[in-house]
Amino acid sequence: MGTLADIGRATPPRSAPGLGRAASAYEVVALACRAPSVHNTQPWRWRVDGTSLELYADCSRALPAADPRGRNLVLSCGAALHHAEAAARALGWEPTLQRRPDPAEPGLLARIHLADRDPDARETPGAQDPAVVLRAIHERRTDRRRFTSWPVPVSRLERLAAAAVEQGGLSEPIVDVTARFRLELLISRAMSAQEGDERLLAEQRSWIDHSRDDGIPADSVPEMGFGPLAHRSRFSRAARPEVPGPARDLVEASDGVVVIGGPDDSVEAWLRSGEALSALWLLATRTGLSVVPLSQVVEVDETRPALQHDVLGGRLVPHVVLRIGWQEISRSTHRATPRRPLDDVLSP
């Protein structure tokens, strides 16, 4: 089992600028940094050495109230890792990935070596058009507004879950009526448990308009909640005093729901789940669907095991729940949240 203290002990070394084509390695990092992250904290650091990339957890951007173990932080880094791998392939590289390559450096989450692709090599079956992949990375958004009432077909949810599994995570769509009802009750219970936590609410508020380079812009936060990996009750005490309503206020009947998790609750499993989250989200973007992560049911100690055993039958340890649906066509221009300058995410 990993903890925030474990992954926070390492400090990434200084980056060495690359030469020649290695400059493209910085393009990979820039695209990786478009990945979703909890409260848009962007909790990653990168080291570029020629055609090698190293990804470090930046624990100075941790959320001690909402995410004391660092689960969401590592999930965010895993999403950036998959974005990097997908971007590298789309830019013509052949990436080789090592996860947790050095036990002596727990903050080093992954290393990617970029090699020139053999021009005579056969295309991998099922490989995506590079332009389509790059467009999905640029167009991916966390749009927390209400979805339309059009239901998401079960076949679509199963394909999204399969994309997560193909990336090494575990994933299940929640389509059974009884399981869905239990999940909604657990979401309501988790929201109620978090409503009175002033430390948690203060932490949330601190990331609204945090800076021009990170956090959630206030004008993109609807009344229903905020935070890419911390979607909250639409009736939080920060806005109004009453107890939150039923979970249908947050998860409508027409919404699709998919859970991503792993075999355990370790740093390695969180990293894989973050990669799976990215793979699912990019596929959703390519196929016109919107994704909103719901983390509160996993964050609360009382509801997390209930989700694992009562809803998922113990088949996986849940790391994040995803709400999936269709946005109105008129909303397709939803603007992206800000991103830190590349110099800020590279090791000093």
Side-chain angles (χ1 to χ4, degrees):
M1 294 290 183
T3 66
L4 189 58
D6 293 333
I7 61 177
R9 284 198 294 264
T11 300
R14 179 178 297 276
S15 292
L19 299 174
R21 191 180 170 189
S24 295
Y26 292 95
E27 297 178 54
V28 173
V29 172
L31 289 165
C33 291
R34 299 187 70 87
S37 61
V38 56
H39 289 337
N40 194 30
T41 52
Q42 304 167 52
W44 42 65
R45 300 284 294 176
W46 291 88
R47 177 177 181 263
V48 178
D49 185 1
T51 54
S52 291
L53 311 177
E54 291 183 338
L55 170 63
Y56 290 81
D58 185 352
C59 292
S60 70
R61 291 176 165 267
L63 301 172
D67 189 31
R69 292 192 60 198
R71 181 188 297 107
N72 286 341
L73 184 150
V74 176
L75 280 168
S76 302
C77 289
L81 179 60
H82 177 263
H83 265 50
E85 186 178 15
R89 292 187 189 280
L91 292 172
W93 296 100
E94 188 59 48
T96 301
L97 177 61
Q98 293 176 283
R99 298 173 186 83
R100 308 299 304 280
D102 187 351
E105 290 193 73
L108 174 58
L109 296 179
R111 183 179 290 130
I112 305 175
H113 178 69
L114 304 176
D116 287 313
R117 185 174 299 160
D118 183 353
D120 298 323
R122 290 187 176 183
E123 192 68 36
T124 303
Q128 294 292 325
D129 181 337
V132 171
V133 173
L134 294 175
R135 184 166 61 249
I137 290 174
H138 280 283
E139 292 180 353
R140 187 211 60 79
R141 300 286 188 272
T142 304
D143 191 342
R144 289 167 289 277
R145 295 170 295 185
R146 279 287 162 213
F147 297 149
T148 68
S149 59
W150 289 98
V152 181
V154 172
S155 60
R156 292 261 191 164
L157 298 176
E158 290 174 342
R159 178 65 192 97
L160 292 174
V165 173
E166 288 165 9
Q167 197 56 43
L170 298 178
S171 183
E172 288 190 18
I174 306 300
V175 296
D176 176 78
V177 174
T178 301
R180 179 71 178 246
F181 177 72
R182 288 173 176 167
L183 173 63
E184 291 172 357
L185 289 178
L186 290 174
I187 291 173
S188 288
R189 191 186 306 170
M191 290 191 299
S192 296
Q194 291 187 333
E195 282 298 313
D197 190 335
E198 293 300 329
R199 181 168 168 258
L200 180 66
L201 294 175
E203 186 176 80
Q204 290 177 348
R205 287 191 292 266
S206 73
W207 282 94
I208 301 295
D209 284 338
H210 186 263
S211 83
R212 66 180 183 179
D213 299 324
D214 59 11
I216 309 297
D219 60 5
S220 72
V221 181
E223 67 169 345
M224 57 185 282
F226 52 90
L229 289 173
H231 195 70
R232 303 284 169 188
S233 165
R234 63 188 300 192
F235 299 122
S236 83
R237 290 187 188 275
R240 56 177 67 185
E242 59 262 38
V243 174
R248 65 175 177 268
D249 288 331
L250 186 59
V251 183
E252 300 288 351
S254 57
D255 295 351
V257 178
V258 174
V259 179
I260 291 178
D264 53 38
D265 216 19
S266 65
V267 172
E268 290 78 5
W270 300 339
L271 190 65
R272 283 280 195 176
S273 286
E275 295 175 73
L277 171 65
S278 168
L280 182 155
W281 207 322
L282 292 180
L283 175 59
T285 300
R286 295 198 301 269
T287 54
L289 285 162
S290 286
V291 177
V292 177
L294 309 172
S295 64
Q296 69 272 34
V297 69
V298 178
E299 292 168 355
V300 174
D301 290 339
E302 177 190 356
T303 55
R304 184 173 58 255
L307 172 60
Q308 177 181 347
H309 298 290
D310 298 345
V311 176
L312 299 167
R315 292 181 294 276
L316 59 88
V317 177
H319 297 153
V320 66
V321 178
L322 306 176
R323 188 172 69 88
I324 297 168
W326 309 99
Q327 288 289 2
E328 296 174 7
I329 295 175
S330 61
R331 293 178 174 179
S332 60
T333 56
H334 186 63
R335 70 186 182 95
T337 48
R339 286 297 183 269
R340 299 161 64 192
L342 189 58
D343 287 347
D344 195 40
V345 301
L346 295 171
S347 299

